[in-house]
Amino acid sequence: MKLKLLGALCALGLAAALPARAAPPTAQVLTYHAGGGRRGNFVVPALTWRRARGLRPDRRFQARIEGHVYAQPLYWSARPGRAMLLVVTESDTVYALDAVSGRTLWRRTLGRPVPLQSVPCGNIDPLGITGTPVIDPRRRAVYLDALVRPAGSGAPTHEIFGLSLADGAVLAGWPVDVGAALARRGLRFDARVQGERGALAILHDTVYVPYGGRDGDCGRYRGWVVGVKLDPPRVIGSWHTPALAGGIWAPAGVSSDGHSLYVTTGNTMEATSWGGGEAVIRLTPSLHFTGATADFFAPGDWRALDARDADLGGVSPLLFDMGGAGYVLALGKDGNAYLLDRRNLGGFDGALAVAHVSDSQIRAASAQFPVAGGAMIAFRGQGSDCPGRAHGDLTVLKVTATSPPRITTAWCAAVRGHGAPIVTTTDGRHDPIVWMLGAAGDGRLYGFRGDTGRRLFVSARLPGLRRFQTLIATAHRLYVAADGTVYAFSF
């Protein structure tokens, strides 16, 4: 008995001494930030700190597309040596590009985009496909939402499409008209005021699509999540904020831990009591919200946030593990970081830790990588407690796995722009590099050492980058989608 116990203790000691198991390389990018947790940690074994310094534009890759691009590209490999990029545009067009040459493999236009003058408000013109699609590799299909202008004088409609990855053909039973499907359930969904900026997600053979409003907060919109069964395609459920507004508009859209769905909601309007806004909400796969404090978090000052339009909805929930426990990080337009226990989100003011980390509104998407004793999290925002002299639009936090956890600012970097950062690592942890685009700013791609913030790379100006744009990393290249083109960098 003593020998068995000694052996068990030795085994535990050896396990503790061993390094964490390396994460598998990122072979495909099927969804926003390469995973349901929206961590944005791309595992690229060859992309070390040293090689990042030699990053260069890949002149062999020449891509031409039509339309404005807000969505992140996707990367799908049907078989070794044959991979494609999927890029969607506001012209309601989907492109499949050869991942090596940039040649168009197929192109599918899904309808006529909607001129901005045809809707009450907004800041995208025309309106077509804005949110990042999602790929189901088992069905070899890609799913997306397109705002489509019907023939004649009809009102625009949100259509959820399923397309074959082989040739872009619309799959049987698709598209699903969201407004019409919800109307059959006795629900009102007005596509003229409902925007779809957030990324889609797939869980348990269902695709989930988030909706918010448009820039200007016009009309009587709400934050929605709509679930559509993939086979046969049909709406199986929906959830919306009880109060008006509360849009689910963050670019990373719906997050998932493989069991539940998580969204952040924006400011509500005309709310005298809490109506689902300014919150992290956990939903079941059937899109049921229990209302229990374990299944939502909202700052206690949600009314003041509503009044200031300083909502929580600009960044989707970031799901990550630390010290053997699961966490959620929410970042608000109020400049605060809220760390939540994933088992119990805490209800009103129930965060494990809160820190004011930015002097500007935090929007777009965050990215995370582990470090000894905690985790590092990158976001677009001007740090309020930056060490040293570096100040700009990129801030990296350190969350320590203490009791209670602490949130501090590790470093800041002088990037000018509104891109969403990602991280590359060689095995999930080592040689972390934080990459960010100066989208709608200086238009450059930057790379920094994740541990110190030391700059490793800066590109020439990349014309055509739209606000909130993010990039992806694959085994041999980084890809950046922009108006009219896709840029590739090799290492």
Side-chain angles (χ1 to χ4, degrees):
M1 186 69 163
K2 289 182 179 179
L3 289 174
K4 288 183 178 179
L5 179 59
L6 180 61
L9 290 172
C10 289
L12 285 171
L14 179 60
L18 290 174
R21 180 179 297 177
T26 301
Q28 310 203 64
V29 183
L30 308 178
T31 187
Y32 190 93
H33 273 193
R38 308 312 192 196
R39 292 176 56 230
N41 189 328
F42 293 76
V43 179
V44 186
L47 189 47
T48 61
W49 289 330
R50 180 179 62 82
R51 285 193 171 180
R53 295 188 184 97
L55 195 70
R56 62 192 184 277
D58 188 339
R59 304 300 182 189
R60 297 176 301 167
F61 185 89
Q62 299 290 327
R64 294 291 179 266
I65 59 178
E66 177 188 333
H68 302 160
V69 181
Y70 289 85
Q72 174 204 279
L74 301 176
Y75 178 88
W76 182 67
S77 179
R79 59 183 182 274
R82 179 67 184 273
M84 66 169 63
L85 283 178
L86 271 293
V87 181
V88 298
T89 79
E90 296 292 349
S91 297
D92 272 338
T93 303
V94 184
Y95 290 85
L97 307 175
D98 183 280
V100 175
S101 68
R103 176 176 60 90
T104 300
L105 301 175
W106 53 259
R107 165 182 171 164
R108 180 71 59 183
T109 298
L110 302 177
R112 298 187 303 163
V114 177
L116 181 58
Q117 63 186 19
S118 299
V119 295
C121 66
N123 59 357
I124 297 175
D125 190 14
L127 289 153
I129 307 168
T130 308
T132 298
V134 63
I135 289 175
D136 181 349
R138 186 161 60 90
R139 290 178 171 81
R140 297 184 172 226
V142 60
Y143 301 91
L144 58 97
D145 176 277
L147 190 68
V148 176
R149 177 169 48 135
S153 58
T157 58
H158 275 289
E159 309 274 349
I160 301 174
F161 284 85
L163 306 180
S164 166
L165 287 170
D167 57 7
V170 179
L171 299 175
W174 301 87
V176 172
D177 182 327
V178 177
L182 292 176
R184 289 192 289 271
R185 292 170 161 251
L187 300 169
R188 185 174 184 273
F189 178 95
D190 186 351
R192 295 174 306 164
V193 297
Q194 296 284 167
E196 203 294 296
R197 183 186 283 274
L200 283 63
I202 290 177
L203 179 64
H204 302 328
D205 292 332
T206 300
V207 61
Y208 297 93
V209 189
Y211 297 92
R214 305 194 193 286
D215 184 66
D217 276 348
C218 57
R220 301 182 72 77
Y221 74 91
R222 284 179 162 84
W224 284 83
V225 182
V226 177
V228 179
K229 198 74 172 176
L230 300 181
D231 189 19
R234 67 188 188 282
V235 171
I236 63 160
S238 65
W239 178 83
H240 65 76
T241 53
L244 285 175
I248 302 169
W249 61 273
V254 180
S255 306
S256 174
D257 59 7
H259 305 285
S260 302
L261 306 165
Y262 299 78
V263 295
T264 50
T265 57
N267 59 287
T268 50
M269 299 186 293
E270 303 177 14
T272 56
S273 60
W274 184 70
E278 309 286 8
V280 175
I281 303 285
R282 177 174 19 224
L283 301 168
T284 68
S286 65
L287 295 179
H288 174 62
F289 172 49
T290 68
T293 56
D295 291 327
F296 80 94
F297 162 78
D301 62 346
W302 65 266
R303 286 185 178 86
L305 298 180
D306 271 3
R308 291 162 42 207
D309 189 24
D311 57 81
L312 204 62
V315 182
S316 297
L318 177 71
L319 313 183
F320 67 99
D321 296 329
M322 182 177 66
Y327 294 90
V328 179
L329 188 83
L331 295 163
K333 286 165 66 177
D334 60 358
N336 286 347
Y338 302 90
L339 184 67
L340 316 176
D341 181 344
R342 202 152 74 231
R343 296 167 303 176
N344 182 354
L345 298 181
F348 296 108
D349 271 343
L352 298 174
V354 181
H356 187 75
V357 296
S358 177
D359 291 331
S360 64
Q361 294 185 346
I362 307 176
R363 293 179 287 188
S366 53
Q368 180 268 347
F369 62 96
V371 293
M376 304 282 272
I377 294 162
F379 67 89
R380 186 270 161 194
Q382 297 170 9
S384 56
D385 192 24
C386 295
R389 297 181 178 179
H391 292 271
D393 288 327
L394 173 60
T395 302
V396 176
L397 306 176
K398 182 173 184 181
V399 181
T400 54
T402 52
S403 183
R406 293 181 63 239
I407 302 171
T408 57
T409 300
W411 54 267
C412 305
V415 178
R416 286 197 305 108
H418 298 266
I422 68 164
V423 177
T424 58
T425 55
T426 54
D427 60 1
R429 177 182 294 267
H430 293 99
D431 278 51
I433 305 170
V434 177
W435 302 92
M436 182 173 157
L437 293 163
D442 63 23
R444 301 176 187 273
L445 170 62
Y446 291 85
F448 302 90
R449 276 185 57 149
D451 57 347
T452 65
R454 180 182 177 185
R455 195 172 80 183
L456 299 174
F457 175 81
V458 59
S459 75
R461 184 173 175 83
L462 307 175
L465 297 179
R466 291 283 166 174
R467 184 179 293 262
F468 304 150
Q469 185 56 264
T470 192
L471 64 152
I472 65 170
T474 67
H476 303 290
R477 294 173 186 83
L478 306 181
Y479 295 98
V480 177
D483 291 359
T485 192
V486 178
Y487 301 100
F489 294 86
S490 59
F491 43 89

